Amino acid sequence: MIGHASPWPSAGSQATQQASLCEVLLWIASDTFHWLHNGHHRYPPAPGEESFTDMNIRHLRQLLGSRVKVFQFNKDQERQNGADWEMWIHNRSHGVGLRIQAKKASKHGRFPFDHKVRKQNAYQCDLLVQHALAVRCVPVYLLYNHWDWQGGDEAEAARAKRLCDHVTPDGSHHGCTLLSAYSVQSEVGRKAHGYSLRHKALWGESLPWNRVLCDRRSTTGSSPSRSGADVLTDIFTTVKGLTLMGLARASTHSSELTPSRGTWGDAEHVQSLHENGADDALAVLRDGPHRLPPHVLQLLEAHEAEPPPPPVPTVATVLVDVSDERARTLPQQFEGCVRYR
């Protein structure tokens, strides 16, 4: 199945039917899966994480039309924090925010999870958590995957448990998966105590992003269709489950931070996480979906070309509206993208 092209979401029926976020994420995952495989084997070198992220955000903008707003910021600011971009699934008053750091699988399935940000003398995973909590987001890693290093059967992977049945038969829906940053913190801390970094174990905890962020109004055999409020609640519940899995794996993440070259980085940052990290992480997960924070409400009213500065440096912020009103709005026509097969 590797190298086969997938059809555009809702291809041939855009005049009457719009693609769901789930469908678009599924297509992006499949496209990423094949693109990364080809980059490692047929047309090396493989593109970098930034290239994948830029293209995938572009696909979200094009395929979701007026339901999505995308704000691009100064990419040099990424060096100041642990996040690539921010994504909010919302209904214009409440929402679920993800602070996202992308990681690309190497040819042999390894990820640079233990990357250190020299300027802050801290691990990237620690900074990702810190800045996510500052803007009331859930910190996650977005993994760009391919199957070669697994040595497993794609059909078996496609039959794995999932939130929804909207998958591809070849397993390429695992091209983009989400992993709790708390799981990464735990594994990097474990490495600091002399153990090997278990890339395969972390990959196994990740979930296909269309499974986590499924907004389909109904699934096969289900009735009645979900409302926008139900969609948002279900997404919040799934994100919460993924995060609690990471917190359970690293129950002491707030008091045993991952070290940077034998030091603890910025003292103020460490002290704030030590005192408030666990409570803040649980607060983001409690009684949601939550009201949108002020910086997101500002972006909803802003023009994409002139966004207000983000409270924490961010490369891009993507806002996806899943409210009932937007669900009935047909997408705008999009220009074709170069598809790497």
Side-chain angles (χ1 to χ4, degrees):
M1 286 291 189
I2 290 183
H4 287 200
S6 300
W8 285 95
S10 296
S13 61
Q14 276 205 287
T16 58
Q17 178 183 352
Q18 64 174 328
S20 67
L21 173 63
C22 179
E23 187 179 6
V24 171
L25 294 179
L26 175 61
W27 184 88
I28 291 175
S30 180
D31 192 63
T32 300
F33 173 92
H34 294 298
W35 191 7
L36 183 54
H37 169 81
N38 286 342
H40 280 316
H41 296 282
R42 295 176 62 186
Y43 314 115
E49 289 145 359
E50 182 176 326
S51 296
F52 278 112
T53 297
D54 285 346
M55 184 61 74
N56 291 342
I57 290 177
R58 182 184 178 194
H59 287 158
L60 286 170
R61 183 199 293 269
Q62 292 173 321
L63 292 168
L64 291 175
S66 62
R67 287 172 293 156
V68 67
K69 294 184 75 172
V70 175
F71 299 90
Q72 301 284 155
F73 300 99
N74 183 355
K75 292 189 176 182
D76 289 338
Q77 293 178 324
E78 182 186 358
R79 300 170 186 169
Q80 303 176 30
N81 64 82
D84 269 338
W85 53 297
E86 205 169 295
M87 185 177 190
W88 286 85
I89 314 298
H90 69 93
N91 63 3
R92 302 194 65 82
S93 63
H94 293 71
V96 182
L98 303 178
R99 189 85 175 174
I100 300 171
Q101 174 65 52
K103 291 295 177 188
K104 177 193 71 174
S106 70
K107 185 174 182 179
H108 301 292
R110 301 178 68 82
F111 300 87
F113 287 128
D114 55 349
H115 175 69
K116 294 175 182 175
V117 181
R118 295 185 181 277
K119 186 175 181 179
Q120 282 86 353
N121 189 30
Y123 277 105
Q124 191 178 54
C125 57
D126 290 337
L127 296 176
L128 174 60
V129 169
Q130 178 197 21
H131 288 91
L133 296 180
V135 290
R136 297 190 62 77
C137 280
V138 173
V140 296
Y141 279 79
L142 172 58
L143 306 185
Y144 298 138
N145 306 298
H146 59 93
W147 274 122
D148 309 318
W149 64 277
Q150 274 291 94
D153 179 76
E154 293 181 4
E156 180 181 351
R159 291 193 295 269
K161 292 181 180 178
R162 57 187 67 89
L163 175 68
C164 60
D165 295 326
H166 318 125
V167 298
T168 48
D170 62 352
S172 63
H173 59 291
H174 287 267
C176 294
T177 62
L178 295 177
L179 171 68
S180 172
Y182 299 114
S183 293
V184 175
Q185 273 192 322
S186 174
E187 193 65 21
V188 173
R190 181 178 177 274
K191 180 186 177 184
H193 288 85
Y195 296 93
S196 298
L197 191 62
R198 298 174 297 183
H199 299 264
K200 189 170 182 179
L202 285 174
W203 182 92
E205 291 184 20
S206 69
L207 298 174
W209 68 343
N210 69 291
R211 170 183 173 180
V212 178
L213 305 176
C214 181
D215 70 328
R216 290 286 286 265
R217 288 307 201 254
S218 62
T219 57
T220 304
S222 67
S223 181
S225 296
R226 293 190 296 170
S227 66
D230 290 338
V231 166
L232 193 57
T233 298
D234 289 346
I235 290 175
F236 175 85
T237 300
T238 311
V239 170
K240 178 178 180 178
L242 181 70
T243 307
L244 289 176
M245 182 190 306
L247 287 171
R249 193 178 192 273
S251 59
T252 59
H253 75 276
S254 63
S255 59
E256 294 184 13
L257 299 176
T258 51
S260 296
R261 296 187 181 277
T263 70
W264 295 101
D266 181 78
E268 182 179 352
H269 158 51
V270 172
Q271 183 65 20
S272 65
L273 278 182
H274 177 79
E275 294 177 350
N276 305 315
D279 289 341
D280 289 346
L282 293 175
V284 173
L285 303 173
R286 190 178 296 121
D287 301 327
H290 299 283
R291 290 190 176 277
L292 295 174
H295 77 284
V296 176
L297 292 173
Q298 283 186 315
L299 291 176
L300 284 175
E301 304 302 323
H303 191 282
E304 287 178 295
E306 300 177 348
V312 175
T314 305
V315 169
T317 299
V318 178
L319 309 180
V320 181
D321 193 338
V322 296
S323 61
D324 292 328
E325 178 182 355
R326 287 296 182 182
R328 292 190 294 267
T329 303
L330 292 177
Q332 300 169 348
Q333 289 291 341
F334 59 85
E335 298 177 0
C337 288
V338 175
R339 298 179 60 201
Y340 193 90
R341 285 287 186 267

